[in-house]
Amino acid sequence: MAAWAERLTGVRGVLLDISGVLCDSSASGATVIAGSVEAVARLKRSPLKVRFCTNESQKSLRELVGVLQQLGFDISEEEVTAPAPATCQILKERGLRPHLLIHEGVRSEFDDIDMSNPNCVVIADAGEAFSYQNMNRAFQVLMELENPVLISLGKGRYYKETSGLMLDVGGYMKALEYACGIKAEVVGKPSPEFFKSALQAIGVEAHQAIMIGDDIVGDVGGAQQCGMRALQVRTGKFRPGDEHHPEVQADGYVDNLAEAVDLLLKYTDK
Amino acid sequence: MAAWAERLTGVRGVLLDISGVLCDSSASGATVIAGSVEAVARLKRSPLKVRFCTNESQKSLRELVGVLQQLGFDISEEEVTAPAPATCQILKERGLRPHLLIHEGVRSEFDDIDMSNPNCVVIADAGEAFSYQNMNRAFQVLMELENPVLISLGKGRYYKETSGLMLDVGGYMKALEYACGIKAEVVGKPSPEFFKSALQAIGVEAHQAIMIGDDIVGDVGGAQQCGMRALQVRTGKFRPGDEHHPEVQADGYVDNLAEAVDLLLKYTDK
């Protein structure tokens, strides 16, 4: 692999995943990944443009940012690209009235969306709300539609809580796709539109940007397919096998965000 | 389409799906599909060999047959090919110790199976037991295995209860496949081994056999891929679009089992 100086040359903007990079989450709350609070602060004091890019869909943006601020992170709602607000924009643009299969924590994001007589289904990381009854209701709504539209907030396979690996929305999206014979639209990483909207927000071109995430496929592979570079951190859902993934090779592997920021500050143009 | 006489020539054996062909099921029980009790009786009085071939995995074979007998059907456990007994045989042959994600109603089938220190996961149509917690536990068991083995009792997309369409095991199988990055082994229709074991039980070759089912893919497509002929009944989960399915064309469509048996008795060699 080329030297870091070469791999990081021309980087002007950084997209940061949140869960697994800034913090680990658990049923009872979130805990900082060591060194990440300081790493974010150092990054924001540098000339590099920074944006947070998350698939978090269990919490509203306000709640998510509140939790991170309490952990000590310098972050505001305006700095985050998240799937629920992006979905609401799509629903409004296309006149879609969703049946929601989501976590209660994110419901407030949909407060001003018309949900009468649904003509689509929106699913997110619903956690315990992924009961058979709720899945079956979403399935029935889709089967009753002439042109079924399924929007999924992300398509992650799993994420890591302190208690262990947890099924993410992706499997449930696949279940509904298979049962209904349809293809879902994904809002969130690794959708190119989602990465592009995050880059637009900081005015950085893809070839000048680098993604830092713990998900070899959703973060690293997705960003690379958009023309960005990407680093994988060995925190969060990282598993050793990721460094030998059959399809995706990160532009670099680092122990944690702190090491990634060390390298960025050392090797990108000042 | 050719005349019925031509389509049914040389048929010596009949495989009958149960749910959606003999009866419809609901949360409170099962109801006979009109004419099916008499149709089964007439078929069994004919020279045609008859075997029941079901993906039912919510009930034990004993309970299933008991329900059908109470509805008036002439059926015994020895006449039914069902996925749970077939799975137990595979588990024993391969020294597999399953973690079960199944309906309580079928648990007794696994009474003599070693379930200590699981080295595979078996899922079936678990209904309400497809909670997030249970799915996550199955996922975690698979992720902890070096060579994860997932066995699915059938892979149906959905079935029909009197209250409406219900998600079947197939979607949940897809969810675990995606989350774990693995491919499940299916025991049940449309697995060729499963159809073949049903045919062996009545000593009939595939080209001499016809399947009668309500599932255009699992029953009709699966049987045809084994070299059998197959009729779809317009009962159970049948939907009008099935007659124009992009990939599967039945050898004939009939209103119900009674019509299928009328045709078989009229046109097969006596």
Side-chain angles (χ1 to χ4, degrees):
Chain A
M1 208 176 257
W4 280 108
E6 194 176 325
R7 281 183 268 165
L8 300 178
T9 189
V11 167
R12 285 187 52 236
V14 183
L15 298 188
L16 294 179
D17 182 25
I18 293 178
S19 178
V21 175
L22 271 54
C23 60
D24 282 319
S25 50
S26 72
S28 57
T31 50
V32 170
I33 291 174
S36 289
V37 168
E38 299 75 17
V40 168
R42 285 191 293 147
L43 206 52
K44 291 182 79 172
R45 282 198 305 268
S46 82
L48 292 165
K49 304 275 189 186
V50 179
R51 185 149 187 100
F52 302 91
C53 186
T54 179
N55 273 9
E56 170 64 50
S57 65
Q58 279 208 357
K59 295 184 184 73
S60 69
L61 184 50
R62 172 171 301 186
E63 190 190 348
L64 173 66
V65 167
V67 167
L68 291 167
Q69 286 172 340
Q70 279 205 321
L71 292 175
F73 287 101
D74 174 7
I75 185 171
S76 68
E77 289 180 43
E78 294 68 33
E79 294 172 299
V80 183
T81 297
T87 299
C88 288
Q89 197 179 328
I90 291 169
L91 294 172
K92 287 174 187 167
E93 282 168 8
R94 290 165 52 185
L96 291 170
R97 301 179 304 278
H99 170 86
L100 299 176
L101 175 43
I102 61 173
H103 196 279
E104 278 309 309
V106 77
R107 194 168 292 274
S108 63
E109 296 277 13
F110 296 87
D111 275 352
D112 64 340
I113 298 290
D114 179 7
M115 284 181 269
S116 61
N117 189 21
N119 59 3
C120 78
V121 167
V122 169
I123 63 167
D125 174 17
E128 299 282 346
F130 277 132
S131 64
Y132 181 76
Q133 202 175 11
N134 286 347
M135 277 291 283
N136 206 48
R137 184 70 201 121
F139 160 71
Q140 289 175 339
V141 169
L142 287 167
M143 291 297 274
E144 282 158 16
L145 295 174
E146 199 172 340
N147 297 303
V149 172
L150 171 61
I151 295 177
S152 182
L153 276 64
K155 61 171 187 175
R157 290 166 56 201
Y158 55 84
Y159 53 94
K160 191 177 179 182
E161 290 208 339
T162 43
S163 62
L165 299 181
M166 307 290 286
L167 276 174
D168 198 355
V169 64
Y172 289 93
M173 176 193 87
K174 291 285 176 185
L176 291 175
E177 284 188 341
Y178 176 76
C180 302
I182 61 174
K183 188 96 182 119
E185 302 174 29
V186 177
V187 179
K189 301 173 287 185
S191 152
E193 291 76 15
F194 194 72
F195 283 114
K196 282 176 197 160
S197 74
L199 290 176
Q200 274 171 3
I202 50 173
V204 169
E205 301 283 328
H207 71 276
Q208 301 170 318
I210 194 159
M211 172 81 209
I212 301 175
D214 65 333
D215 186 323
I216 185 69
V217 173
D219 293 325
V220 175
Q224 288 176 334
Q225 286 194 346
C226 279
M228 299 169 61
R229 280 163 276 184
L231 304 182
Q232 188 180 17
V233 288
R234 297 193 187 95
T235 54
K237 77 176 84 170
F238 169 83
R239 287 157 63 102
D242 292 351
E243 298 194 35
H244 315 282
H245 193 278
E247 284 150 36
V248 182
Q249 164 94 50
D251 294 281
Y253 301 88
V254 290
D255 283 344
N256 48 42
L257 180 61
E259 187 187 353
V261 170
D262 285 344
L263 291 164
L264 283 166
L265 298 187
K266 185 167 178 186
Y267 292 112
T268 57
D269 310 328
K270 297 287 152 43
Chain B
M1 209 175 257
W4 280 107
E6 195 176 323
R7 281 183 269 164
L8 300 179
T9 189
V11 167
R12 285 186 52 234
V14 183
L15 298 189
L16 294 180
D17 181 26
I18 293 178
S19 178
V21 176
L22 271 53
C23 60
D24 283 319
S25 50
S26 72
S28 56
T31 51
V32 169
I33 292 174
S36 289
V37 168
E38 299 75 15
V40 169
R42 285 192 293 145
L43 205 51
K44 291 182 76 171
R45 282 198 303 268
S46 82
L48 292 165
K49 304 274 189 187
V50 179
R51 185 150 187 99
F52 302 92
C53 185
T54 179
N55 273 8
E56 170 65 49
S57 66
Q58 278 208 355
K59 294 185 185 74
S60 68
L61 183 51
R62 173 173 298 187
E63 189 189 347
L64 173 66
V65 167
V67 168
L68 291 167
Q69 286 172 340
Q70 279 205 321
L71 292 174
F73 286 100
D74 174 7
I75 185 171
S76 67
E77 289 180 44
E78 293 69 34
E79 293 171 301
V80 183
T81 296
T87 299
C88 289
Q89 198 179 328
I90 290 169
L91 295 172
K92 287 174 188 168
E93 282 168 8
R94 289 166 52 187
L96 292 170
R97 301 178 305 275
H99 170 86
L100 299 176
L101 174 43
I102 61 173
H103 196 280
E104 278 309 308
V106 77
R107 196 167 290 273
S108 63
E109 297 276 13
F110 296 86
D111 275 351
D112 64 341
I113 298 290
D114 179 7
M115 285 182 270
S116 61
N117 189 21
N119 59 4
C120 78
V121 167
V122 168
I123 64 167
D125 174 18
E128 299 283 346
F130 277 132
S131 64
Y132 180 76
Q133 202 175 10
N134 287 347
M135 277 291 283
N136 206 49
R137 185 67 200 124
F139 160 71
Q140 290 176 339
V141 169
L142 287 167
M143 291 296 274
E144 282 158 18
L145 295 175
E146 199 172 341
N147 297 302
V149 172
L150 172 61
I151 295 178
S152 182
L153 276 63
K155 60 171 190 177
R157 292 166 55 199
Y158 55 84
Y159 54 93
K160 192 178 178 181
E161 289 208 340
T162 44
S163 62
L165 298 183
M166 306 291 284
L167 277 174
D168 199 354
V169 65
Y172 288 93
M173 176 193 85
K174 291 285 177 187
L176 291 175
E177 284 188 340
Y178 176 75
C180 302
I182 60 173
K183 188 97 182 117
E185 301 175 30
V186 177
V187 178
K189 300 173 286 185
S191 152
E193 291 77 15
F194 194 72
F195 283 114
K196 282 175 197 162
S197 74
L199 290 176
Q200 272 171 3
I202 51 173
V204 170
E205 300 282 329
H207 72 275
Q208 300 170 316
I210 194 160
M211 172 81 210
I212 301 174
D214 65 334
D215 186 323
I216 186 69
V217 173
D219 293 326
V220 175
Q224 288 176 333
Q225 286 194 345
C226 281
M228 299 168 60
R229 282 163 275 185
L231 304 181
Q232 189 181 17
V233 289
R234 297 192 186 95
T235 54
K237 78 176 81 169
F238 168 84
R239 288 158 61 106
D242 291 350
E243 298 194 34
H244 314 283
H245 193 277
E247 284 150 37
V248 182
Q249 164 94 50
D251 294 280
Y253 301 88
V254 290
D255 284 344
N256 47 41
L257 180 61
E259 188 189 353
V261 170
D262 285 345
L263 291 163
L264 283 166
L265 299 186
K266 186 166 176 187
Y267 291 113
T268 56
D269 311 327
K270 295 291 152 34

